[in-house]
Amino acid sequence: MMEARLEEGAMVNFDIGIDPAGLADDDLFRELASLYRTRLQTLRHGPDAALENHFKRTAELETEYMARKPGREVDPDRLTQDF
């Protein structure tokens, strides 16, 4: 696994990308949006290694988001127990 440090100090793992903790909020949201946008194609057509990487990267980015936004806005009408 190859790694490097960006000028801003964020670590880059060339296998999966920048350490989520080193991303600014806007960059974190952009990375999440990119993953969500490519999710179905990766699930349906990606090789096993791509799907595994997608799972791992999504978990890393979502974990970082939750750490930063524990009091995120939740729409109480979005999902209910009546389903």
Side-chain angles (χ1 to χ4, degrees):
M1 175 173 29
M2 293 181 54
E3 292 185 343
R5 186 170 298 277
L6 295 178
E7 289 180 29
E8 299 85 17
M11 289 298 295
V12 178
N13 176 329
F14 291 107
D15 293 329
I16 59 170
I18 295 174
D19 178 356
L23 293 171
D25 284 350
D26 288 345
D27 295 328
L28 178 63
F29 296 142
R30 186 192 70 243
E31 290 292 314
L32 282 166
S34 176
L35 280 171
Y36 299 147
R37 188 175 54 255
T38 61
R39 181 75 178 150
L40 184 57
Q41 289 296 330
T42 305
L43 179 63
R44 292 184 65 206
H45 306 294
D48 289 344
L51 187 58
E52 183 179 327
N53 187 56
H54 212 278
F55 286 144
K56 182 177 180 183
R57 188 64 173 162
T58 300
E60 291 172 349
L61 292 168
E62 288 180 346
T63 298
E64 180 64 25
Y65 175 82
M66 293 301 294
R68 293 183 193 189
K69 307 287 185 184
R72 71 194 196 289
E73 294 179 23
V74 175
D75 180 353
D77 296 324
R78 174 87 176 158
L79 294 175
T80 68
Q81 294 300 319
D82 300 330
F83 53 89

Coordinates of all heavy atoms in Angstrom, one line a residue:
M1 N 0.8 -1.2 0.0 CA 0.0 0.0 0.0 C 0.9 1.2 0.0 O 1.8 1.4 0.8 CB -0.9 0.0 1.2 CG -1.7 1.2 1.4 SD -3.0 1.1 2.7 CE -2.3 0.1 4.0
M2 N 0.7 2.1 -0.9 CA 1.4 3.3 -1.0 C 0.7 4.5 -0.4 O -0.5 4.6 -0.5 CB 1.7 3.7 -2.5 CG 2.6 2.7 -3.2 SD 2.9 3.2 -4.9 CE 3.5 4.9 -4.7
E3 N 1.4 5.3 0.4 CA 0.8 6.5 1.0 C 1.7 7.7 0.8 O 2.9 7.6 0.6 CB 0.6 6.3 2.5 CG -0.4 5.2 2.9 CD -0.7 5.1 4.3 OE1 0.2 5.6 5.1 OE2 -1.7 4.5 4.7
A4 N 1.1 8.8 0.9 CA 1.8 10.1 0.7 C 1.0 11.1 1.6 O -0.1 10.9 1.9 CB 1.9 10.6 -0.7
R5 N 1.7 12.2 1.9 CA 1.1 13.3 2.6 C 0.9 14.5 1.7 O 1.9 14.9 1.1 CB 1.9 13.7 3.9 CG 1.2 14.7 4.8 CD 1.9 14.8 6.1 NE 2.0 13.6 6.9 CZ 1.0 13.2 7.7 NH1 -0.1 13.9 7.8 NH2 1.2 12.1 8.4
L6 N -0.3 15.1 1.6 CA -0.6 16.3 0.9 C 0.0 17.5 1.6 O 0.3 17.4 2.8 CB -2.1 16.5 0.7 CG -2.8 15.4 -0.1 CD1 -4.3 15.8 -0.2 CD2 -2.3 15.4 -1.5
E7 N 0.2 18.6 0.9 CA 0.7 19.8 1.5 C -0.2 20.2 2.7 O 0.3 20.7 3.7 CB 0.7 20.9 0.5 CG 1.8 20.8 -0.6 CD 1.8 21.9 -1.6 OE1 1.4 23.0 -1.2 OE2 2.1 21.7 -2.7
E8 N -1.5 20.0 2.6 CA -2.4 20.3 3.7 C -2.3 19.4 4.9 O -2.9 19.6 5.9 CB -3.8 20.3 3.2 CG -4.2 21.3 2.1 CD -3.8 20.7 0.7 OE1 -3.7 19.4 0.6 OE2 -3.7 21.4 -0.3
G9 N -1.5 18.3 4.7 CA -1.3 17.4 5.9 C -2.1 16.2 5.8 O -1.9 15.3 6.6
A10 N -3.1 16.1 4.9 CA -4.0 14.9 4.8 C -3.2 13.7 4.2 O -2.4 13.9 3.3 CB -5.2 15.2 4.0
M11 N -3.4 12.6 4.7 CA -2.8 11.4 4.2 C -3.6 10.9 3.0 O -4.8 10.9 3.0 CB -2.8 10.3 5.3 CG -1.8 10.5 6.4 SD -0.1 10.6 5.8 CE 0.2 9.0 5.2
V12 N -2.9 10.4 2.0 CA -3.5 9.8 0.8 C -3.0 8.4 0.7 O -1.8 8.1 0.8 CB -3.0 10.5 -0.5 CG1 -3.7 9.8 -1.7 CG2 -3.4 12.0 -0.4
N13 N -4.0 7.5 0.7 CA -3.7 6.1 0.5 C -4.1 5.8 -1.0 O -5.3 5.9 -1.3 CB -4.6 5.2 1.4 CG -4.4 3.7 1.2 OD1 -4.2 3.3 0.1 ND2 -4.6 3.0 2.2
F14 N -3.1 5.5 -1.8 CA -3.4 5.4 -3.2 C -4.3 4.2 -3.6 O -4.8 4.1 -4.7 CB -2.1 5.4 -4.0 CG -1.4 6.7 -4.0 CD1 -0.2 6.8 -3.2 CD2 -1.8 7.8 -4.7 CE1 0.4 8.0 -3.1 CE2 -1.2 9.0 -4.6 CZ 0.0 9.1 -3.8
D15 N -4.6 3.3 -2.6 CA -5.5 2.3 -2.9 C -6.9 2.7 -2.7 O -7.8 2.3 -3.4 CB -5.2 1.1 -1.9 CG -3.9 0.4 -2.2 OD1 -3.5 0.4 -3.4 OD2 -3.3 -0.1 -1.3
I16 N -7.2 3.6 -1.8 CA -8.6 4.0 -1.6 C -8.9 5.5 -1.5 O -10.0 5.9 -1.6 CB -9.2 3.4 -0.3 CG1 -8.3 3.8 0.9 CG2 -9.2 1.9 -0.4 CD1 -8.9 3.4 2.3
G17 N -7.9 6.4 -1.3 CA -8.1 7.8 -1.3 C -7.6 8.5 0.0 O -6.9 7.9 0.8
I18 N -8.0 9.7 0.1 CA -7.6 10.6 1.2 C -8.3 10.1 2.5 O -9.4 9.8 2.5 CB -7.9 12.0 0.9 CG1 -7.1 12.5 -0.3 CG2 -7.7 12.9 2.1 CD1 -7.5 13.9 -0.8
D19 N -7.5 10.1 3.6 CA -8.1 9.8 4.9 C -9.2 10.8 5.1 O -9.1 12.0 5.1 CB -7.0 10.0 5.9 CG -7.4 9.8 7.4 OD1 -8.6 9.5 7.6 OD2 -6.5 9.9 8.2
P20 N -10.4 10.2 5.4 CA -11.6 11.1 5.6 C -11.4 12.2 6.7 O -11.9 13.3 6.6 CB -12.7 10.1 6.0 CG -12.3 8.9 5.4 CD -10.8 8.8 5.5
A21 N -10.6 11.9 7.7 CA -10.4 12.9 8.8 C -9.6 14.1 8.3 O -9.7 15.2 8.8 CB -9.6 12.2 9.9
G22 N -8.9 13.9 7.2 CA -8.2 15.1 6.6 C -9.0 15.9 5.6 O -8.4 16.8 5.0
L23 N -10.2 15.5 5.3 CA -11.0 16.2 4.3 C -11.8 17.4 5.0 O -12.3 17.2 6.1 CB -12.1 15.3 3.7 CG -11.5 14.1 2.8 CD1 -12.6 13.2 2.5 CD2 -10.9 14.7 1.6
A24 N -11.9 18.5 4.3 CA -12.7 19.6 4.7 C -14.2 19.1 4.5 O -14.5 18.1 3.8 CB -12.5 20.8 3.9
D25 N -15.1 19.7 5.2 CA -16.5 19.3 5.2 C -17.0 19.3 3.7 O -17.7 18.3 3.3 CB -17.4 20.3 6.0 CG -17.3 20.0 7.5 OD1 -16.7 19.0 7.9 OD2 -17.9 20.9 8.2
D26 N -16.7 20.3 2.9 CA -17.2 20.3 1.5 C -16.6 19.1 0.7 O -17.3 18.5 -0.1 CB -16.8 21.6 0.8 CG -17.6 22.8 1.3 OD1 -18.7 22.6 1.9 OD2 -17.2 23.9 1.0
D27 N -15.4 18.8 1.0 CA -14.8 17.6 0.3 C -15.4 16.3 0.8 O -15.6 15.4 0.0 CB -13.2 17.6 0.5 CG -12.6 18.8 -0.1 OD1 -13.1 19.3 -1.1 OD2 -11.6 19.3 0.4
L28 N -15.6 16.2 2.0 CA -16.3 15.0 2.6 C -17.6 14.8 1.9 O -18.0 13.7 1.5 CB -16.4 15.1 4.1 CG -17.1 13.9 4.8 CD1 -16.3 12.6 4.6 CD2 -17.3 14.2 6.3
F29 N -18.4 15.9 1.8 CA -19.8 15.8 1.2 C -19.6 15.4 -0.3 O -20.4 14.6 -0.8 CB -20.5 17.1 1.3 CG -20.9 17.4 2.8 CD1 -20.8 18.7 3.2 CD2 -21.2 16.4 3.7 CE1 -21.1 19.0 4.5 CE2 -21.5 16.7 5.0 CZ -21.4 18.1 5.4
R30 N -18.6 16.0 -1.0 CA -18.4 15.7 -2.4 C -18.1 14.2 -2.6 O -18.6 13.5 -3.5 CB -17.3 16.6 -3.0 CG -17.2 16.4 -4.5 CD -15.9 17.0 -5.0 NE -14.7 16.3 -4.6 CZ -13.8 16.8 -3.8 NH1 -13.8 18.0 -3.4 NH2 -12.8 16.0 -3.4
E31 N -17.2 13.7 -1.7 CA -16.8 12.3 -1.8 C -18.0 11.4 -1.5 O -18.1 10.3 -2.2 CB -15.7 12.0 -0.8 CG -14.3 12.6 -1.2 CD -13.7 12.0 -2.4 OE1 -13.7 10.8 -2.5 OE2 -13.3 12.8 -3.3
L32 N -18.8 11.7 -0.5 CA -20.0 10.9 -0.3 C -20.9 10.9 -1.4 O -21.5 9.9 -1.9 CB -20.7 11.4 1.0 CG -20.0 11.0 2.3 CD1 -20.6 11.8 3.5 CD2 -20.2 9.5 2.6
A33 N -21.2 12.1 -2.0 CA -22.1 12.2 -3.2 C -21.6 11.4 -4.3 O -22.3 10.7 -5.0 CB -22.2 13.7 -3.6
S34 N -20.3 11.4 -4.5 CA -19.7 10.6 -5.6 C -19.9 9.1 -5.4 O -20.3 8.3 -6.3 CB -18.2 10.9 -5.7 OG -17.6 10.1 -6.7
L35 N -19.7 8.6 -4.2 CA -20.0 7.2 -3.9 C -21.4 6.9 -4.1 O -21.7 5.8 -4.6 CB -19.6 6.9 -2.4 CG -18.1 6.7 -2.2 CD1 -17.8 6.7 -0.7 CD2 -17.6 5.5 -2.8
Y36 N -22.3 7.7 -3.6 CA -23.7 7.4 -3.7 C -24.2 7.4 -5.2 O -25.0 6.6 -5.6 CB -24.6 8.4 -3.0 CG -24.3 8.4 -1.5 CD1 -24.4 9.5 -0.7 CD2 -24.0 7.2 -0.8 CE1 -24.2 9.5 0.6 CE2 -23.7 7.2 0.6 CZ -23.8 8.4 1.3 OH -23.6 8.4 2.6
R37 N -23.6 8.3 -6.0 CA -23.9 8.4 -7.4 C -23.4 7.1 -8.2 O -24.1 6.7 -9.1 CB -23.2 9.6 -8.0 CG -23.6 10.0 -9.4 CD -23.0 11.3 -9.9 NE -21.5 11.3 -9.8 CZ -20.9 12.0 -8.8 NH1 -21.5 12.8 -8.0 NH2 -19.6 12.0 -8.8
T38 N -22.3 6.5 -7.7 CA -21.8 5.3 -8.4 C -22.2 4.0 -7.8 O -21.8 2.9 -8.3 CB -20.3 5.4 -8.5 OG1 -19.8 5.4 -7.2 CG2 -19.8 6.6 -9.3
R39 N -23.0 4.1 -6.7 CA -23.3 2.9 -5.9 C -24.0 1.8 -6.7 O -23.5 0.6 -6.7 CB -24.2 3.3 -4.8 CG -24.6 2.1 -3.9 CD -23.4 1.8 -3.0 NE -23.8 0.7 -2.1 CZ -22.9 -0.1 -1.7 NH1 -21.6 0.0 -2.1 NH2 -23.2 -1.1 -0.9
L40 N -25.0 2.1 -7.4 CA -25.8 1.1 -8.2 C -25.0 0.4 -9.3 O -25.0 -0.8 -9.4 CB -27.1 1.6 -8.7 CG -28.0 0.6 -9.4 CD1 -28.4 -0.5 -8.4 CD2 -29.2 1.3 -9.9
Q41 N -24.2 1.2 -10.0 CA -23.4 0.7 -11.1 C -22.3 -0.3 -10.5 O -22.0 -1.3 -11.1 CB -22.7 1.8 -11.9 CG -23.7 2.6 -12.7 CD -24.3 1.7 -13.8 OE1 -23.7 0.7 -14.3 NE2 -25.5 2.0 -14.2
T42 N -21.7 0.1 -9.4 CA -20.7 -0.7 -8.7 C -21.3 -2.0 -8.2 O -20.8 -3.1 -8.4 CB -20.0 0.0 -7.6 OG1 -19.5 1.3 -8.1 CG2 -18.9 -0.8 -7.0
L43 N -22.5 -1.9 -7.6 CA -23.2 -3.1 -7.1 C -23.5 -4.0 -8.2 O -23.3 -5.2 -8.1 CB -24.4 -2.7 -6.3 CG -25.3 -3.8 -5.8 CD1 -24.5 -4.5 -4.7 CD2 -26.5 -3.2 -5.2
R44 N -24.1 -3.5 -9.3 CA -24.5 -4.4 -10.4 C -23.4 -4.9 -11.3 O -23.5 -6.0 -11.8 CB -25.5 -3.6 -11.2 CG -26.8 -3.3 -10.5 CD -27.9 -2.7 -11.4 NE -28.3 -3.6 -12.4 CZ -28.7 -3.2 -13.6 NH1 -28.9 -1.9 -13.8 NH2 -29.1 -4.0 -14.5
H45 N -22.4 -4.0 -11.6 CA -21.4 -4.4 -12.6 C -20.0 -4.4 -12.2 O -19.1 -4.8 -13.0 CB -21.6 -3.4 -13.8 CG -23.0 -3.3 -14.3 ND1 -23.7 -4.3 -14.9 CD2 -23.9 -2.2 -14.2 CE1 -24.9 -3.9 -15.2 NE2 -25.0 -2.7 -14.8
G46 N -19.7 -3.9 -11.0 CA -18.3 -3.9 -10.6 C -17.7 -5.2 -10.2 O -18.5 -6.1 -9.7
P47 N -16.5 -5.5 -10.4 CA -15.9 -6.7 -9.9 C -15.9 -6.7 -8.4 O -16.1 -5.7 -7.7 CB -14.4 -6.7 -10.5 CG -14.2 -5.2 -10.8 CD -15.5 -4.6 -11.1
D48 N -15.7 -7.9 -7.8 CA -15.7 -8.0 -6.4 C -14.8 -7.0 -5.6 O -15.2 -6.5 -4.6 CB -15.4 -9.5 -5.9 CG -16.5 -10.4 -6.3 OD1 -17.6 -10.0 -6.6 OD2 -16.2 -11.7 -6.3
A49 N -13.6 -6.8 -6.2 CA -12.6 -5.9 -5.5 C -13.2 -4.5 -5.5 O -13.0 -3.8 -4.5 CB -11.3 -6.0 -6.2
A50 N -13.8 -4.1 -6.6 CA -14.4 -2.7 -6.6 C -15.5 -2.6 -5.6 O -15.7 -1.6 -4.9 CB -14.9 -2.4 -8.0
L51 N -16.4 -3.6 -5.5 CA -17.5 -3.6 -4.6 C -17.0 -3.5 -3.2 O -17.5 -2.8 -2.3 CB -18.4 -4.7 -4.8 CG -19.7 -4.7 -4.0 CD1 -20.5 -3.5 -4.3 CD2 -20.5 -6.0 -4.4
E52 N -16.0 -4.3 -2.9 CA -15.4 -4.4 -1.5 C -14.8 -3.0 -1.2 O -15.0 -2.5 -0.1 CB -14.3 -5.4 -1.5 CG -13.7 -5.6 -0.1 CD -12.6 -6.7 -0.1 OE1 -12.8 -7.7 -0.8 OE2 -11.7 -6.5 0.7
N53 N -14.1 -2.4 -2.1 CA -13.5 -1.1 -1.9 C -14.6 0.0 -1.7 O -14.5 0.8 -0.9 CB -12.7 -0.7 -3.1 CG -11.9 0.6 -2.8 OD1 -11.2 0.7 -1.9 ND2 -12.1 1.6 -3.7
H54 N -15.7 -0.2 -2.5 CA -16.9 0.8 -2.3 C -17.4 0.6 -0.9 O -17.7 1.7 -0.3 CB -17.9 0.4 -3.4 CG -18.7 1.6 -3.9 ND1 -19.8 2.1 -3.2 CD2 -18.5 2.4 -5.0 CE1 -20.3 3.1 -3.8 NE2 -19.5 3.3 -4.9
F55 N -17.6 -0.6 -0.4 CA -18.2 -0.8 0.9 C -17.2 -0.1 2.0 O -17.7 0.6 2.9 CB -18.2 -2.3 1.3 CG -19.4 -3.0 0.6 CD1 -19.2 -4.3 0.2 CD2 -20.6 -2.5 0.4 CE1 -20.2 -5.1 -0.4 CE2 -21.6 -3.2 -0.2 CZ -21.4 -4.5 -0.6
K56 N -16.0 -0.4 1.8 CA -15.0 0.1 2.8 C -14.9 1.6 2.8 O -15.0 2.3 3.8 CB -13.6 -0.5 2.5 CG -12.5 -0.1 3.5 CD -11.2 -0.7 3.2 CE -10.2 -0.2 4.2 NZ -8.9 -0.8 3.9
R57 N -14.9 2.2 1.6 CA -14.8 3.7 1.5 C -16.0 4.3 2.0 O -16.0 5.4 2.7 CB -14.5 4.1 0.1 CG -14.2 5.5 -0.1 CD -12.9 5.9 0.6 NE -12.6 7.3 0.3 CZ -11.7 8.1 1.0 NH1 -11.1 7.6 2.0 NH2 -11.5 9.3 0.6
T58 N -17.2 3.8 1.7 CA -18.5 4.3 2.2 C -18.5 4.3 3.7 O -18.9 5.3 4.3 CB -19.7 3.5 1.6 OG1 -19.6 3.6 0.1 CG2 -21.0 4.1 2.1
A59 N -18.1 3.2 4.3 CA -18.1 3.1 5.7 C -17.1 4.1 6.4 O -17.5 4.8 7.4 CB -17.7 1.7 6.2
E60 N -16.0 4.3 5.8 CA -15.0 5.3 6.3 C -15.6 6.7 6.2 O -15.5 7.4 7.2 CB -13.7 5.2 5.5 CG -12.9 4.0 5.7 CD -11.7 3.9 4.7 OE1 -11.6 4.7 3.8 OE2 -10.9 3.0 5.0
L61 N -16.1 7.0 5.1 CA -16.7 8.4 4.9 C -17.9 8.6 5.8 O -18.1 9.7 6.4 CB -17.0 8.7 3.4 CG -15.7 8.7 2.5 CD1 -16.1 8.7 1.1 CD2 -14.9 10.0 2.8
E62 N -18.8 7.7 5.8 CA -20.0 7.8 6.7 C -19.7 7.9 8.1 O -20.3 8.7 8.9 CB -21.0 6.7 6.4 CG -21.7 6.9 5.0 CD -22.7 5.8 4.7 OE1 -22.7 4.7 5.4 OE2 -23.4 6.0 3.7
T63 N -18.7 7.1 8.6 CA -18.2 7.2 10.0 C -17.7 8.5 10.3 O -18.0 9.1 11.4 CB -17.2 6.1 10.2 OG1 -17.8 4.8 10.0 CG2 -16.7 6.1 11.6
E64 N -16.9 9.1 9.4 CA -16.3 10.4 9.6 C -17.5 11.5 9.7 O -17.5 12.4 10.5 CB -15.3 10.8 8.5 CG -14.7 12.1 8.7 CD -13.9 12.3 9.9 OE1 -13.4 11.3 10.5 OE2 -13.7 13.5 10.4
Y65 N -18.4 11.3 8.7 CA -19.6 12.3 8.7 C -20.3 12.2 10.1 O -20.6 13.3 10.7 CB -20.5 12.0 7.6 CG -21.8 12.8 7.6 CD1 -21.8 14.1 7.1 CD2 -22.9 12.3 8.2 CE1 -22.9 14.9 7.2 CE2 -24.1 13.1 8.3 CZ -24.0 14.4 7.7 OH -25.2 15.2 7.8
M66 N -20.6 11.0 10.6 CA -21.3 10.9 11.8 C -20.5 11.4 13.0 O -21.1 12.0 13.9 CB -21.7 9.4 12.1 CG -22.7 8.9 11.1 SD -24.3 9.8 11.1 CE -24.9 9.4 12.7
A67 N -19.2 11.3 13.0 CA -18.4 11.8 14.0 C -18.4 13.4 14.0 O -18.4 14.0 15.1 CB -16.9 11.4 13.9
R68 N -18.5 14.0 12.9 CA -18.6 15.4 12.8 C -20.0 16.0 13.0 O -20.1 17.1 13.4 CB -18.1 15.9 11.3 CG -16.7 15.6 11.1 CD -16.3 16.2 9.7 NE -15.1 15.7 9.2 CZ -14.4 16.1 8.2 NH1 -15.0 17.1 7.4 NH2 -13.3 15.6 7.8
K69 N -21.0 15.2 12.7 CA -22.4 15.7 12.7 C -23.2 14.8 13.6 O -24.3 14.3 13.2 CB -23.0 15.8 11.3 CG -22.2 16.5 10.3 CD -22.2 18.0 10.5 CE -21.5 18.7 9.4 NZ -21.5 20.1 9.7
P70 N -22.9 14.6 14.9 CA -23.7 13.7 15.7 C -25.1 14.2 15.9 O -26.0 13.5 16.1 CB -22.9 13.6 17.0 CG -22.1 14.8 17.0 CD -21.8 15.1 15.6
G71 N -25.3 15.6 15.9 CA -26.6 16.2 16.0 C -27.2 16.6 14.7 O -27.9 17.6 14.6
R72 N -26.9 15.8 13.7 CA -27.4 16.1 12.3 C -28.9 16.3 12.3 O -29.6 15.8 13.2 CB -27.0 15.1 11.3 CG -27.8 13.8 11.5 CD -27.1 12.7 10.7 NE -28.0 11.5 10.6 CZ -28.4 10.7 11.5 NH1 -27.9 10.9 12.7 NH2 -29.2 9.7 11.3
E73 N -29.4 17.1 11.4 CA -30.8 17.3 11.3 C -31.5 16.1 10.8 O -31.1 15.5 9.8 CB -31.1 18.5 10.3 CG -30.6 19.8 10.7 CD -30.8 20.9 9.7 OE1 -31.8 20.7 8.9 OE2 -30.1 21.9 9.7
V74 N -32.5 15.6 11.6 CA -33.2 14.4 11.2 C -34.7 14.9 11.0 O -35.3 15.5 11.8 CB -33.1 13.4 12.3 CG1 -34.0 12.2 12.0 CG2 -31.7 13.0 12.6
D75 N -35.2 14.5 9.8 CA -36.5 14.8 9.5 C -37.4 13.7 10.1 O -37.4 12.5 9.7 CB -36.7 14.8 7.9 CG -38.1 15.1 7.5 OD1 -39.0 15.1 8.3 OD2 -38.3 15.2 6.3
P76 N -38.2 14.0 11.1 CA -39.0 13.0 11.8 C -40.1 12.4 10.9 O -40.5 11.3 11.1 CB -39.7 13.8 12.9 CG -39.6 15.2 12.5 CD -38.4 15.4 11.6
D77 N -40.4 13.0 9.8 CA -41.4 12.5 8.8 C -40.7 11.6 7.8 O -41.4 10.9 7.0 CB -42.2 13.6 8.2 CG -43.0 14.4 9.2 OD1 -43.5 13.7 10.1 OD2 -43.1 15.6 9.0
R78 N -39.4 11.6 7.7 CA -38.7 10.8 6.7 C -39.0 9.3 6.8 O -39.3 8.7 5.8 CB -37.2 11.1 6.8 CG -36.3 10.3 5.9 CD -36.2 11.0 4.6 NE -35.2 10.2 3.8 CZ -35.2 10.2 2.5 NH1 -35.9 11.0 1.9 NH2 -34.3 9.5 1.9
L79 N -38.7 8.8 7.9 CA -39.0 7.3 8.2 C -39.7 7.2 9.5 O -39.4 7.9 10.5 CB -37.7 6.5 8.2 CG -36.9 6.4 6.9 CD1 -35.6 5.7 7.2 CD2 -37.7 5.7 5.9
T80 N -40.7 6.4 9.6 CA -41.4 6.2 10.8 C -41.4 4.7 11.1 O -41.0 3.9 10.3 CB -42.8 6.7 10.7 OG1 -43.6 5.9 9.8 CG2 -42.9 8.2 10.3
Q81 N -41.9 4.4 12.3 CA -42.1 3.0 12.6 C -43.2 2.3 11.9 O -43.5 1.1 12.1 CB -42.2 2.8 14.2 CG -41.0 3.3 14.9 CD -39.7 2.4 14.5 OE1 -39.8 1.2 14.4 NE2 -38.6 3.1 14.4
D82 N -44.1 3.1 11.3 CA -45.3 2.6 10.6 C -44.9 2.2 9.2 O -45.5 2.7 8.2 CB -46.3 3.7 10.6 CG -46.7 4.1 11.9 OD1 -46.7 3.3 12.9 OD2 -47.1 5.3 12.1
F83 N -44.1 1.2 9.0 CA -43.8 0.7 7.7 C -43.9 -0.8 7.6 O -44.0 -1.5 8.5 CB -42.4 1.1 7.2 CG -41.3 0.8 8.0 CD1 -40.6 -0.3 8.0 CD2 -40.8 1.8 9.0 CE1 -39.5 -0.6 8.8 CE2 -39.7 1.5 9.8 CZ -39.1 0.4 9.7

